Amino acid sequence: MSTIEDVAKLAGLSRTTVSRVLNNHPYVSEEKRKLVIEAMEHLGYVPNSSARSLRNRKTGIIAVLIPKISTPFFSQLIERLEIAASEKNYQLIICQTQYSDKKERTYLDLLKTKQVDGVIMTSCENDWKIIDAHLDYGPIVLCNEIIENVEVPMVFMNQMKSGYTIAKHLIESGHRKIAYCTNGTDKVTLQARETGFKRALAEAGLSIHREDYFQHVSSISDGKNIFHQLYHNCNSPTAIFTGSDSVAAGIISEAKRHGWVIPQDLAVVGFDNMEITELMDPMITTVIQPVETMAAKAIDVIVDKIHKKQYRSRETHEFTATLAIRESTLVNSKLVATS
Amino acid sequence: MSTIEDVAKLAGLSRTTVSRVLNNHPYVSEEKRKLVIEAMEHLGYVPNSSARSLRNRKTGIIAVLIPKISTPFFSQLIERLEIAASEKNYQLIICQTQYSDKKERTYLDLLKTKQVDGVIMTSCENDWKIIDAHLDYGPIVLCNEIIENVEVPMVFMNQMKSGYTIAKHLIESGHRKIAYCTNGTDKVTLQARETGFKRALAEAGLSIHREDYFQHVSSISDGKNIFHQLYHNCNSPTAIFTGSDSVAAGIISEAKRHGWVIPQDLAVVGFDNMEITELMDPMITTVIQPVETMAAKAIDVIVDKIHKKQYRSRETHEFTATLAIRESTLVNSKLVATS
DNA sequence: GTGAAAGCGCTAACAT
DNA sequence: ATGTTAGCGCTTTCAC
């Protein structure tokens, strides 16, 4: 492993000059620059990033905290974050919290130990008081998560609009008894979605019946279970918003096995535009999240914060989803922006 | 940001002693140890990882090179790699090559610049000569990839066995005209799979007809295209191995739209056990890769290499897949090991 | 059992 | 335009 010193010696110059060439500083004569470059090539010199990090007080690494990588939405998000980061010459460390507050805290410490320049959180398991303390050490950006009254940038999709648009679509398709699924009401994002959904219903003089409201629903098997509840309900709804493509697929798959015809017997709406939505028969009406745009913005914002060295500031960066209307709610499919 | 010096001063001791406490060295009196710990807590001291990396010549970071994160198989692999790495206190930097040899080279340089202690490659886009040169700087482990005559550890699944088992299963189900899809023949892994497949056919006195052999096939739409080729072929095969769940799903979805009944009109086998395989109707017979085991082994091996500081050595760590027999090839499903 | 001092590889005042 | 020098924060001989 050759060092900057070796290069300097071989070129017959000082470490400073070599460093200047390395960092494209002005005030280096063409002549010496060539000498340095030759020496570097001859030695196969590459700067040591630990030394640079120590000296410059920056690592060029961003940590991404994510509950579970293999969840299709999250893997798409990571994919886009990686692309955006690499365009700005940042590396991404991937940290799987597995929805554990303890792991989340451990990973946030990467900021304290200066192993990373910033953290992107795609969900939040701890009390904000705990997270907030970490802002003394570096920037934190929320991507795909909203928390009220906190001083960090947040990048997210307007869930209220998408909830509203979905309900509106179902109402316009003639449905009057509509079921709703959610994975919880503790997240601001999910609350907003529900609020938008209910608003559209209210505007049409409708509401969600008690027996048509399902909580803590997220997997394929949850979907299958829900179908069975509907199946045994003599006054079952004519449409259901599932909040998740997996749940939608589970419901549809089970419904078909029991002889139901979708959407005639039950219209189904998913969420996230996973691959299955176009593979199922019928293809599933779903919400396309602007993953690429959100990822690019999150990286933009955090890189900006890193440079400005100003970590506390409330900013909201809001994007709009698209409703992809497919066979599970209609015969003819089309695209509709939720705006 | 407090440093080790600050802690030393506050505790009225030397940097050395603080460092000893930090690294659990022996020969520190209980009394002073307590003093140090108190001081650290008082200051909220956390060691700076750049300084440690520079001094110790190790970063505790492993780079994972992956073609595309959102591919379900790869996202599962990353998930498991992250879990295994974090158990050994390593962080993972995720590098998306997008099948580009240039990006791959850029990322391999992380080894030279000492930004990472080792690299796990899940595919390989460059000539091995180029990769090999990087072994002077740190360990490289292949996970899910085989390259002949190279001096690195390789962790993989026995593709020959799985190809053999799949063909055997189709033959035993009574099929005599069987189609084969592959995403290419340049990879040793895919070649092995094909060899095993053909061997089982040969043993039954069968072979793959020219028109039943499909190359460069990997996506849902590829699957749909293939179905149309079969559809217009008056002597179409009775079974098809697709090499990919996406392709299998594409074929099935399109076949059903054209009135075919699966598996009666066509038996279909996928690969990877993605979520869709259990959602499609019929559920898809597929190969379950031992992702978790391979990931754990890959981390084990690379951590070992890092410690031993011996990077060149040919080792093969082979695992066996499981064939999940489902509705797309049979009426009654069951699990069969490919061993 | 504890401390003084050297140095990992790099950059940036500062001086020339 | 180029070089000298002082650290960044940490670990580790070596000496006591």
Side-chain angles (χ1 to χ4, degrees), chain B residues 138-159:
Chain B
I140 297 175
V141 169
L142 299 183
C143 180
N144 185 49
E145 178 76 302
I146 307 176
I147 297 172
E148 273 161 353
N149 303 318
V150 298
E151 286 190 309
V152 291
M154 290 175 282
V155 177
F156 56 91
M157 195 187 78
N158 189 322
Q159 294 275 356

Side-chain angles (χ1 to χ4, degrees), chain A residues 72-231:
Chain A
F73 172 74
F74 287 129
S75 71
Q76 281 179 41
L77 187 56
I78 299 178
E79 173 164 320
R80 292 300 170 181
L81 286 169
E82 200 275 347
I83 292 172
S86 98
E87 275 170 11
K88 295 190 183 266
N89 289 311
Y90 274 84
Q91 309 293 338
L92 246 43
I93 283 186
I94 300 296
C95 309
Q96 224 167 180
T97 63
Q98 293 168 124
Y99 299 102
S100 141
D101 54 336
K102 191 164 166 299
K103 296 205 182 205
E104 185 172 275
R105 274 178 263 129
T106 311
Y107 285 127
L108 280 168
D109 281 341
L110 293 174
L111 216 48
K112 274 199 196 178
T113 62
K114 297 280 169 213
Q115 185 149 32
V116 301
D117 295 338
V119 171
I120 294 176
M121 298 179 73
T122 63
S123 85
C124 181
E125 307 300 329
N126 281 279
D127 222 59
W128 190 258
K129 270 183 206 160
I130 294 171
I131 314 278
D132 188 82
H134 292 267
L135 283 172
D136 295 336
Y137 305 96
I140 296 174
V141 169
L142 299 183
C143 179
N144 186 48
E145 178 76 300
I146 308 175
I147 297 171
E148 273 160 352
N149 303 318
V150 299
E151 285 189 309
V152 290
M154 290 176 280
V155 177
F156 57 89
M157 194 188 80
N158 188 323
Q159 296 275 357
M160 204 177 302
K161 264 192 203 167
S162 58
Y164 185 90
T165 310
I166 295 159
K168 196 92 181 168
H169 164 61
L170 292 173
I171 294 163
E172 284 170 359
S173 304
H175 298 282
R176 310 290 297 170
K177 189 158 195 295
I178 301 173
Y180 188 88
C181 306
T182 178
N183 194 25
T185 49
D186 47 332
K187 300 270 180 189
V188 176
T189 48
L190 294 182
Q191 272 174 24
R193 190 191 290 176
E194 193 168 326
T195 303
F197 194 89
K198 287 180 172 164
R199 178 175 306 156
L201 290 187
E203 287 175 10
L206 302 173
S207 63
I208 303 168
H209 292 224
R210 196 176 229 283
E211 76 273 16
D212 296 337
Y213 183 84
F214 302 92
Q215 273 203 69
H216 309 298
V217 168
S218 67
S219 69
I220 291 170
S221 58
D222 290 339
K224 293 186 176 176
N225 285 335
I226 286 177
F227 170 75
H228 288 286
Q229 294 181 52
L230 300 179
Y231 193 62

Side-chain angles (χ1 to χ4, degrees), chain B residues 113-289:
Chain B
T113 62
K114 298 280 168 213
Q115 186 149 31
V116 302
D117 295 338
V119 171
I120 293 177
M121 298 180 72
T122 63
S123 85
C124 181
E125 308 301 329
N126 281 278
D127 223 58
W128 189 259
K129 271 182 206 161
I130 294 172
I131 314 279
D132 188 82
H134 291 267
L135 283 172
D136 295 337
Y137 306 96
I140 297 175
V141 169
L142 299 183
C143 180
N144 185 49
E145 178 76 302
I146 307 176
I147 297 172
E148 273 161 353
N149 303 318
V150 298
E151 286 190 309
V152 291
M154 290 175 282
V155 177
F156 56 91
M157 195 187 78
N158 189 322
Q159 294 275 356
M160 203 176 304
K161 265 192 204 167
S162 58
Y164 185 89
T165 310
I166 295 159
K168 198 91 179 170
H169 163 61
L170 292 173
I171 294 163
E172 282 170 358
S173 306
H175 299 282
R176 309 291 295 170
K177 190 159 194 295
I178 300 173
Y180 188 88
C181 306
T182 179
N183 193 27
T185 50
D186 48 330
K187 299 272 181 188
V188 176
T189 47
L190 294 181
Q191 271 174 24
R193 191 191 289 176
E194 193 169 326
T195 304
F197 194 88
K198 287 179 173 166
R199 178 175 306 155
L201 290 186
E203 286 176 11
L206 303 172
S207 63
I208 302 168
H209 291 224
R210 195 177 229 281
E211 77 272 16
D212 296 337
Y213 183 83
F214 301 93
Q215 274 203 70
H216 310 298
V217 168
S218 67
S219 68
I220 291 171
S221 57
D222 291 338
K224 293 188 176 176
N225 285 335
I226 286 177
F227 170 75
H228 288 287
Q229 294 181 50
L230 301 179
Y231 192 62
H232 295 299
N233 178 350
C234 45
N235 180 27
S236 81
T238 63
I240 185 163
F241 168 63
T242 62
S244 138
D245 287 335
S246 300
V247 174
I251 291 177
I252 292 175
S253 140
E254 202 65 9
K256 286 171 64 183
R257 282 173 198 270
H258 287 76
W260 285 29
V261 178
I262 309 291
Q264 284 78 354
D265 292 326
L266 182 71
V268 181
V269 178
F271 206 96
D272 275 357
N273 195 35
M274 286 165 41
E275 241 187 2
I276 26 164
T277 57
E278 300 207 66
L279 280 170
M280 293 292 288
D281 178 23
M283 295 200 253
I284 304 176
T285 292
T286 193
V287 174
I288 304 177
Q289 296 207 53

Side-chain angles (χ1 to χ4, degrees), chain A residues 73 77 156-158 288-295 319-322:
Chain A
F73 172 74
L77 187 56
F156 57 89
M157 194 188 80
N158 188 323
I288 304 177
Q289 296 207 51
V291 177
E292 184 172 351
T293 324
M294 292 198 300
F319 297 92
T320 300
T322 308

Side-chain angles (χ1 to χ4, degrees), chain A residues 4 16 19 45 47-48 52 55:
Chain A
I4 205 171
T16 314
S19 172
Y45 169 79
N48 177 307
R52 281 190 144 174
R55 179 62 232 227

